[in-house]
Amino acid sequence: MNGFSKLTKTEKIDWIVNEYFSNPTEAQQLLKQYWNTDSKLQQLHDEFIENTISNYYLPLGVAPNFIINSTNYTIPMAIEESSVVAAASKAAKFWAERGGFTTNVISTTKIGQVHFKYSGHFSDLTEFFKSIKPKLIEDTKPITKNMEARGGGILDIELRDKTASLDNYYQLHCSFETLDAMGANFINSCLEQFAKTLKSQVESHLNETIDIIMSILSNYVPECLVRAEVSCDVIDLKDKGLENPQLFAEKFVQAVAIAEVEPYRAVTHNKGIMNGVDAVILATGNDFRAVEAGVHAYASKDGQYRSLTHATIVDNIFKFWIEIPLALGTVGGLTRLHPLVKFSLELLRNPSAKELMSIVAVAGLAQNFGALRSLTTTGIQEGHMKMHLMNILNQFEANTKEKDYIITLFKDKAITHNAVVEALDLFRQSNSD
Ligand code: MEV
C-alpha cells in the first residue's frame, strides 16, 4: 500500500475494513461507535498521532483516601486490569488510618548525551573542550532563556572518553534541570545545538574530524529520584484478616527480601508496582514507556535485577519504602491538550512535577503493599477473581438480574471461570423453564 497516510480518514477506514475484515460493515460501525460525536474533540484526538481511525478506550478510575505528606488526595488511574484500583484504594485507606505516606524528592536531574566519533588525541580534545564549554552553553541561549528565567536549564556538560568500550567513541554527557516539564524537547534541542557547535569548533580550530552519531536524552534517570514511605508500630498493622500483625509483618518483610535477591520474583514484584505507577502516569498524560525503561534499568543498577521496594522491622516498627526514578512533567506535552489529562491534574490540585513524582511513587508503593498483603495472607486469587467476576459475566453478556444473582451466589464461594459459567448456565436454564 503506497500513500496510505495521504488518504482521508474515511478512505483509510474503507481500505482497512475491506482488506482485513470478514464483515466490513460491522468493523466500520465499531470504529464509528468509538468516535466522539463532538467533532472538534475528535479532531483533537485524531491529531495526536498519524493514521487515527478511532479511539481506544481505557477506564479512568479513582482511588480516594491517599494521605501524602498530610494532604488528602484522590488519585486518578487509567488502567484495564481488574483489582488494581480496588487494591490501591484499600491500601490508601489502611495507611490513612496509620499516619499516611511520607515522600522525599531526592533529586530531579535529567541526562542527555551527544554520541560522537573522534580519532585525534583525547588530551587535545580535553583541553579544547574546556576552552569551548562556555560557547557550547552560550550557543543554546535562545533555547534555554525561558527555562533559565524559571530557574532551570543546563547544569553541566562533561566530555567522556568511551574508547575502552568502543573504538574512537566519545560523548558529551550533559545534565539538565527541567522543573515542571518532562523536558524531552528542551533537552534534545540543547543536545543538537551542542553537537553543531562541537563539530564546527573542533573541525575549524583543532583540524580534526568529529563524526556526530546522535544526540538524544536518556530515559535512564537515576538522579531523578523520589522516595515514598509508610511506617507504624507492628501491633498497629492489626486489621480484618491481619489478626496476627507480628506474623504478618515478618512474612511481609520476607516477601520483600525474596524480591531483593531473586530476579524471577523481582520482575513480578516490580510489575505489581508498575500497575499503580503506569495507571497514574497514563491518567496524567506522561510517557509510561520512558518511565518503564528507566525504572527497570534502575532496578538492575548493581548488575542484578532487584525489588524497587524495601521493608524492615526495627524496634517493633514496621517500615516499608520505595525509591524510584521518575522523570515526569505537569506542563507541556499532553497536559494542556487532552481533556481527561487536564481533569486528572486538576483532581490532583495541579501538582508540580515534584509533587507528581511523590504521588506516583506512593501509588506504586500502595499497589505493592496491596499485592504483598494478599500474597502473604489469603493468596492473590481471592481478590483478583472477585474483580474478574464482572469480566466473566460481561464476556457471557449477563444482564443485571443475572449479575446480581451470580455476585450474591459467589460472595462466600471460590470463584473460578468454570464455576461462574456453570452457575450462569443453570440460572439461565431455570429461568427459561
Ligand atoms: C498482577 O498484575 C500483579 C502481581 O502479580 C504483583 C505481585 O505478584 O507482587 C499481583
Side-chain angles (χ1 to χ4, degrees):
M1 169 51 143
N2 282 326
F4 183 77
S5 65
K6 305 272 180 324
L7 301 181
T8 64
K9 185 173 174 177
T10 312
E11 288 167 340
K12 283 174 190 165
I13 291 172
D14 282 348
W15 183 78
I16 285 170
V17 296
N18 288 311
E19 189 79 11
Y20 296 104
F21 289 82
S22 54
N23 187 339
T25 316
E26 198 180 271
Q28 189 156 33
Q29 268 164 5
L30 182 71
L31 293 177
K32 279 205 177 138
Q33 194 185 329
Y34 282 81
W35 284 356
N36 204 298
T37 46
D38 175 343
S39 61
K40 252 181 95 184
L41 193 60
Q42 185 53 50
Q43 192 185 347
L44 178 77
H45 286 76
D46 285 356
E47 290 173 358
F48 284 154
I49 60 168
E50 289 95 37
N51 298 341
T52 309
I53 54 168
S54 190
N55 303 305
Y56 184 96
Y57 289 172
L58 279 182
L60 176 67
V62 291
N65 297 316
F66 272 96
I67 306 289
I68 306 175
N69 304 328
S70 307
T71 302
N72 196 329
Y73 290 91
T74 295
I75 299 187
M77 302 177 91
I79 187 156
E80 85 301 343
E81 185 173 331
S82 334
S83 84
V84 167
V85 177
S89 306
K90 190 173 168 191
K93 192 102 190 290
F94 180 91
W95 283 107
E97 287 156 8
R98 291 159 182 81
F101 296 81
T102 53
T103 69
N104 174 25
V105 174
I106 297 165
S107 54
T108 55
T109 303
K110 289 163 191 163
I111 300 297
Q113 297 169 318
V114 177
H115 305 271
F116 64 95
K117 291 255 172 160
Y118 163 82
S119 44
H121 291 292
F122 181 53
S123 53
D124 293 347
L125 187 62
T126 310
E127 280 312 303
F128 188 68
F129 169 72
K130 277 187 204 153
S131 72
I132 63 159
K133 199 169 162 179
K135 181 161 176 59
L136 285 169
I137 293 174
E138 189 54 37
D139 285 0
T140 58
K141 278 287 173 237
I143 307 164
T144 57
K145 215 171 90 201
N146 288 344
M147 186 66 87
E148 278 176 3
R150 297 200 301 271
I154 300 160
L155 300 179
D156 197 15
I157 312 174
E158 250 180 79
L159 172 67
R160 289 194 175 175
D161 178 355
K162 304 294 286 182
T163 52
S165 313
L166 198 62
D167 284 350
N168 301 332
Y169 170 35
Y170 296 88
Q171 56 180 225
L172 296 183
H173 183 91
C174 316
S175 46
F176 301 86
E177 171 54 62
T178 63
L179 306 168
D180 286 338
M182 195 271 182
N185 284 333
F186 172 77
I187 293 174
N188 289 335
S189 300
C190 288
L191 293 171
E192 287 184 6
Q193 183 56 54
F194 293 158
K196 268 190 211 146
T197 304
L198 177 76
K199 186 171 170 65
S200 71
Q201 290 293 309
V202 170
E203 292 184 351
S204 56
H205 294 101
L206 209 58
N207 262 338
E208 290 283 358
T209 314
I210 289 265
D211 191 8
I212 301 288
I213 306 296
M214 60 191 159
S215 310
I216 187 74
L217 95 168
S218 173
N219 290 124
Y220 185 43
V221 283
E223 288 162 278
C224 193
L225 200 62
V226 56
R227 178 186 161 109
E229 180 182 309
V230 284
S231 69
C232 69
D233 284 348
V234 169
I235 194 91
D236 292 336
L237 289 168
K238 200 171 167 119
D239 195 18
K240 190 164 168 254
L242 300 182
E243 278 75 24
N244 186 339
Q246 182 67 34
L247 184 68
F248 168 66
E250 284 168 13
K251 260 184 121 173
F252 192 100
V253 168
Q254 275 304 299
V256 176
I258 289 168
E260 281 167 341
V261 299
E262 166 52 52
Y264 278 95
R265 173 57 202 151
V267 171
T268 318
H269 177 100
N270 289 347
K271 187 274 180 187
I273 293 171
M274 299 313 283
N275 279 344
V277 169
D278 284 342
V280 188
I281 300 262
L282 265 175
T284 57
N286 276 276
D287 180 346
F288 68 91
R289 285 87 55 205
V291 169
E292 282 278 345
V295 163
H296 298 297
Y298 185 77
S300 338
K301 64 183 185 307
D302 70 3
Q304 187 188 311
Y305 191 90
R306 297 180 191 281
S307 161
L308 294 161
T309 54
H310 310 279
T312 54
I313 305 169
V314 178
D315 297 335
N316 284 322
I317 304 283
F318 170 81
K319 192 186 277 189
F320 178 47
W321 72 98
I322 187 169
E323 252 180 39
I324 185 168
L326 292 169
L328 304 179
T330 54
V331 297
L334 277 195
T335 57
R336 293 287 166 264
L337 282 178
H338 196 301
L340 283 175
V341 168
K342 278 200 267 185
F343 173 91
S344 296
L345 287 169
E346 190 170 342
L347 175 63
L348 293 172
R349 301 190 193 85
N350 292 317
S352 64
K354 280 185 177 177
E355 284 161 344
L356 187 59
M357 284 167 80
S358 293
I359 293 164
V360 171
V362 163
L365 186 69
Q367 210 64 49
N368 192 220
F369 180 79
L372 294 181
R373 176 178 173 162
S374 299
L375 285 167
T376 56
T377 55
T378 57
I380 204 74
Q381 282 310 86
E382 189 182 286
H384 222 82
M385 291 310 287
K386 251 186 206 145
M387 294 306 296
H388 192 54
L389 179 59
M390 200 48 90
N391 287 348
I392 304 173
L393 291 171
N394 283 333
Q395 189 189 337
F396 287 89
E397 295 181 354
N399 59 32
T400 315
K401 196 172 149 205
E402 290 166 345
K403 280 180 183 167
D404 287 347
Y405 170 77
I406 297 285
I407 289 168
T408 315
L409 184 69
F410 279 88
K411 228 179 183 94
D412 304 309
K413 263 190 173 176
I415 298 164
T416 67
H417 187 91
N418 282 351
V420 173
V421 176
E422 262 173 34
L424 186 61
D425 274 351
L426 277 175
F427 185 68
R428 282 178 172 169
Q429 275 167 28
S430 64
N431 276 280
S432 68
D433 295 341

